[in-house]
Amino acid sequence: MNIHSHPNYSFFRALIIYIVAVLFLFFEMGVQVSPSVMAFELMDSFRLDAAGLGVIAGVYFYSYSLMQLPAGLMFDRLGARTIIPLAILGCAIGAYFFGNTETAFWAAVGRFLMGLGSAFAFTGVLVVAALWFRPHRFALLVGLAQLFAALGAMGGAYPVAVLLELTDWRTIIVGLSIIGAILAVLAWLIIRDHPKKKVASDVFHSPRIKDSLRSVFSNPQSWWIGLYAFASWAPMALFAALWGAPFLKVRFAVSNQLAASSLSFVWLGLAVTSPIIGWLSDKIGKRGILMFICSIVGILSSLIVIYIPNLSFWTSYIWMFLMGSASAGQILSFAVIKDINSPTGIATAIGFNNMAVVLGGAVFQPLVGLILKWNWDGSLLGNTPFYTNYDYAIALVIIPLCYLVCCAVSALCIRETNCKPSY
C-alpha cells in the first residue's frame, strides 16, 4: 500500500510540521528571556540604569506586538510554508546584530529585529495546530506549545547563567543566532501548507482582510479575552523574562546562578501546567472556571514571594512554580478566542490575542525599570546602579494587580463556550 494513502500518514506529517513550528517557538523564547540573567552585564556593557535596560528589553515586545495582527493576516493569506522560515531568519539576524553592537541605540535596534521575527512564532504554531489537527485537540496542542515555549525560556535562563561563568554574553547571543539560521533552513525544508487551505496571493488587497478584522474587533468577547491574556502574561513578561533574576538575587542574597535556578521554576510551572490545563479544559468542556482558578493561584503566590518577610530561599522554588502555573491560564484564552471566531479568520483572531499577550512586556518591562529608577537611592555596585529589596517590592506590585484583573475578568466578563466552536 502506498504510504501516502495510509490513514496515519496525514497525522504523522502534521506532527512533524507541528514539531518544527514548535522548535521556532522554543528558540525565540530562549532569545526573549536571555536578558533576564544578563541584566547586570548588559547594564555594564551599555552603561545603563534600570530604566534604560527596561527600554532595550521592552523594544522586543514593541515590534512583537505591532506585528501580531499583520502576522495573523499574513498567515491567513500566505501560509506557514512561506512565513515561518523567513521569520526565524529575521529573528536570527536580529540576535546576531544585538550580540555585535557597541551602543545602546543599536542594541535596541537588534532587539527590535528579534521581536519582529519572533512575532510569528506562537501564532505560527497555533495556525499549524488549527489547520492540521482536529478541533478537539486544539487546547491540548496549545498547552503543549506553551510547554515547549517554557522549556525554551528555561534554556534562556539557568543554562545561560552557567554559560556566563564560562564566556561573555555577546558570544552566547551570537551562538543563538547561528542556531536560528540552521533552524530557518530546517523549517524551509519541512513545513508545508495544508493542502485544503488555499492562500491568497495578495496579502494587502484581499477583500477578506477587512472582514477578518471586523469579525474580531466587533465582538466584545474578543476584547475581554484579550484583557485576560494581557494581564495573565504580563507577570511572565516583566518578572520571568527580565526583572525576576535581579530581584531574587537581592531578595535572598544569592548568586546569579541560584537566582536563575529559582526563576527557572516559573517556566517549569508554566511548562507542566499548560498541557494539563489544556487537556483538562477539553476533558470537562469548560474554560472559564480554570482561568479563574489560575488567577487566584497567581494572586496568592506572587504576594507571598514578593512581600512575605523572612521567606526561605528554598521555598521560593515552590512559589515560582505556582506563579508559572497561574500564567498557564492564558493558553485557554487562545482556545476561547478560537471558539468564538470563524475558521477563515482564525489566524487573525489568534494574532489579535497574541498581541494582547505580548503587550504586557511592552508596557511593564520599561515601567518597572522606571519605578526602580524613581525609587533608587543612588547606591552603586561598581559602576552599575544597585536596587534594594524595597525598590523591587514597590515596582513589582504590578504582578498581583495583574492577576487580580484576571480574576475579575474571568469571573464576570468572559462567556463560557463549553469548548464548542460558534461556527
Side-chain angles (χ1 to χ4, degrees):
M1 183 172 68
N2 189 328
I3 189 174
H4 295 273
S5 64
H6 193 281
N8 287 329
Y9 173 76
S10 180
F11 173 78
F12 287 125
R13 185 185 186 195
L15 188 61
I16 292 169
I17 292 171
Y18 175 82
I19 288 171
V20 174
V22 162
L23 286 175
F24 177 25
L25 183 59
F26 181 92
F27 168 73
E28 75 88 5
M29 286 300 298
V31 168
Q32 179 189 140
V33 169
S34 56
S36 67
V37 293
M38 300 175 176
F40 184 83
E41 288 79 5
L42 293 174
M43 286 193 287
D44 184 56
S45 292
F46 297 119
R47 297 293 184 264
L48 299 169
D49 57 18
L53 178 61
V55 170
I56 285 181
V59 161
Y60 178 100
F61 294 97
Y62 301 156
S63 57
Y64 195 121
S65 302
L66 289 171
M67 282 304 297
Q68 283 312 298
L69 281 177
L73 291 166
M74 291 169 75
F75 273 117
D76 275 337
R77 307 303 178 264
L78 300 177
R81 170 75 174 91
T82 301
I83 298 299
I84 290 179
L86 290 176
I88 300 172
L89 185 61
C91 186
I93 290 171
Y96 185 83
F97 193 88
F98 181 75
N100 282 283
T101 189
E102 298 292 337
T103 67
F105 173 80
W106 290 111
V109 172
R111 285 288 287 177
F112 184 90
L113 293 174
M114 291 155 70
L116 207 64
S118 298
F120 296 87
F122 197 70
T123 301
V125 174
L126 270 56
V127 168
V128 167
L131 293 177
W132 281 93
F133 293 88
R134 294 178 181 178
H136 71 273
R137 292 189 173 127
F138 186 77
L140 174 60
L141 290 168
V142 176
L144 288 172
Q146 193 65 78
L147 182 153
F148 284 100
L151 291 176
M154 289 174 68
Y158 183 70
V160 170
V162 173
L163 286 173
L164 278 172
E165 299 294 323
L166 305 174
T167 187
D168 63 283
W169 70 268
R170 294 182 185 277
T171 301
I172 295 170
I173 294 296
V174 171
L176 287 173
S177 73
I178 295 171
I179 293 171
I182 295 170
L183 183 58
V185 174
L186 182 66
W188 178 255
L189 294 173
I190 292 177
I191 290 181
R192 294 292 183 271
D193 294 318
H194 194 280
K196 294 182 180 179
K197 169 69 175 178
K198 294 182 179 180
V199 294
S201 60
D202 193 338
V203 66
F204 299 107
H205 297 96
S206 171
R208 290 173 51 205
I209 290 180
K210 188 179 295 185
D211 295 336
S212 296
L213 292 173
R214 184 186 297 115
S215 174
V216 175
F217 290 158
S218 63
N219 190 337
Q221 281 294 297
S222 296
W223 295 95
W224 289 121
I225 296 165
L227 178 58
Y228 181 94
F230 170 87
S232 64
W233 191 252
M236 298 296 291
L238 73 90
F239 188 80
L242 185 59
W243 296 113
F247 163 70
L248 292 170
K249 285 174 64 177
V250 173
R251 167 84 148 112
F252 298 106
V254 295
S255 68
N256 193 43
Q257 282 193 31
L258 279 176
S261 71
S262 177
L263 188 65
S264 293
F265 272 65
V266 178
W267 298 108
L268 182 62
L270 181 70
V272 171
T273 308
S274 292
I276 293 174
I277 202 171
W279 171 83
L280 184 60
S281 174
D282 287 339
K283 183 74 173 177
I284 67 174
K286 298 292 180 183
R287 313 283 198 206
I289 184 62
L290 297 175
M291 296 166 77
F292 177 78
I293 291 172
C294 286
S295 307
I296 296 296
V297 171
I299 293 171
L300 295 176
S301 58
S302 61
L303 287 174
I304 289 170
V305 79
I306 298 171
Y307 298 109
I308 294 296
N310 302 318
L311 188 69
S312 166
F313 170 72
W314 301 110
T315 65
S316 73
Y317 287 81
I318 298 171
W319 306 118
M320 293 292 101
F321 185 92
L322 290 174
M323 280 181 64
S325 297
S327 286
Q330 61 89 25
I331 70 152
L332 296 180
S333 68
F334 288 96
V336 175
I337 206 161
K338 184 191 80 73
D339 289 344
I340 68 170
N341 278 281
S342 165
T344 58
I346 281 177
T348 303
I350 289 171
F352 169 79
N353 200 61
N354 206 32
M355 179 179 69
V357 169
V358 296
L359 275 174
V363 172
F364 291 127
Q365 281 193 350
L367 180 58
V368 169
L370 283 172
I371 296 172
L372 287 171
K373 182 179 180 179
W374 290 335
N375 287 286
W376 180 46
D377 63 6
S379 302
L380 294 172
L381 185 61
N383 294 318
T384 305
F386 175 78
Y387 303 100
T388 66
N389 189 46
Y390 175 80
D391 297 332
Y392 283 108
I394 297 297
L396 297 179
V397 71
I398 293 169
I399 295 175
L401 289 178
C402 282
Y403 285 125
L404 185 62
V405 169
C406 291
C407 188
V409 170
S410 59
L412 303 174
C413 304
I414 295 178
R415 185 175 66 248
E416 178 61 64
T417 64
N418 297 310
C419 303
K420 295 179 181 178
S422 302
Y423 293 84

